[in-house]
Amino acid sequence: MKVYRVEEIENNTVRVTHAIEAFTPFQAAVKAIGREVRLRKDEPSWIRVTETLTRANQTRDGRVFEYSIGSYPAHG
């Protein structure tokens, strides 16, 4: 498993930061917030997930992924 830095962001302000062990950045986001996530478009509340080396080294030097909370609306 990898360690990810997961940040909950609202209106460009980091509200909460987590260090999460997971197999993928998507899983890290879900594990951190305990809710379903999807790829981010332009929502003001979103989740930034960054690859890190260890829990102690939480620098934002790795790849960055952006997610939003919730699922896509149903098509119909």
Side-chain angles (χ1 to χ4, degrees):
M1 277 201 258
K2 293 182 180 180
V3 177
Y4 295 92
R5 178 183 177 130
V6 181
E7 298 168 301
E8 297 180 42
I9 300 172
E10 186 175 332
N11 296 319
N12 295 322
T13 301
V14 176
R15 299 292 182 192
V16 181
T17 301
H18 311 272
I20 301 292
E21 290 183 21
F23 290 108
T24 67
F26 180 85
Q27 288 175 339
V30 170
K31 201 175 194 182
I33 67 168
R35 295 179 62 191
E36 187 175 340
V37 298
R38 60 183 167 86
L39 294 176
R40 180 179 183 229
K41 292 184 181 180
D42 62 353
E43 297 84 356
S45 295
W46 57 287
I47 309 299
R48 177 171 50 214
V49 179
T50 307
E51 292 179 333
T52 64
L53 299 175
T54 64
R55 282 187 178 272
N57 181 13
Q58 293 185 36
T59 60
R60 288 193 284 194
D61 294 336
R63 291 185 293 173
V64 177
F65 304 86
E66 298 179 0
Y67 300 100
S68 293
I69 298 169
S71 59
Y72 289 107
H75 298 301

